[in-house]
């Protein structure tokens, strides 16, 4: 019943920007933590940015702080990840995920509901 569908990925040159979207259904965003994660070839999945349930606290990985911004549009049931100043090392499959637990966290192991991912490739 809970579904998340990512979109907006693609090929972009270093220094460029992309905005990823995550359309959610089957749950109300305000009652779930939500986050963006990524997994590069040969690497473990890592948390990129998350929003805590309740207080809306935002968490960012050090590697993306100042470049990426997470946001939600409740009316559209959509979560966004604005990615600016992209670097080749940002290349990965990006996933959105949700969980009902309260508290600040942004670890992949803490999230139970996942989308299928969208590919982001940063290359010249």
């Amino acid at each position: 019943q809970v579904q998340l569908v990512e979109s907006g990925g693609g090929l972009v040159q270093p220094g460029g920007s992309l905005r990823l979207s995550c359309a959610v259904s089957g749950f109300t965003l305000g009652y779930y933590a939500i986050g963006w994660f990524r997994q590069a070839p040969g690497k473990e999945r890592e948390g990129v940015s998350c929003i805590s349930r309740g207080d809306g606290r935002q968490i960012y990985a050090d590697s993306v702080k100042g470049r990426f911004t997470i946001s939600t549009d409740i009316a559209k049931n959509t979560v966004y990840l604005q990615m600016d100043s992209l670097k080749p090392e940002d290349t990965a499959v990006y996933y959105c995920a949700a969980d009902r637990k309260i508290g600040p966290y942004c670890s992949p192991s803490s999230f139970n509901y996942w989308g299928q991912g969208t590919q982001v490739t940063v290359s010249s």
Side-chain angles (χ1 to χ4, degrees), residues 80-120:
Y80 302 99
L81 183 68
Q82 178 66 44
M83 305 186 295
D84 298 320
S85 301
L86 283 162
K87 305 175 181 179
E89 51 262 44
D90 295 318
T91 295
V93 177
Y94 282 71
Y95 301 87
C96 62
D99 199 86
R100 293 191 296 270
K101 294 188 294 292
I102 297 173
Y105 54 87
C106 200
S107 173
S109 62
S110 296
F111 286 78
N112 291 322
Y113 305 101
W114 291 84
Q116 294 183 342
T118 184
Q119 177 71 46
V120 172

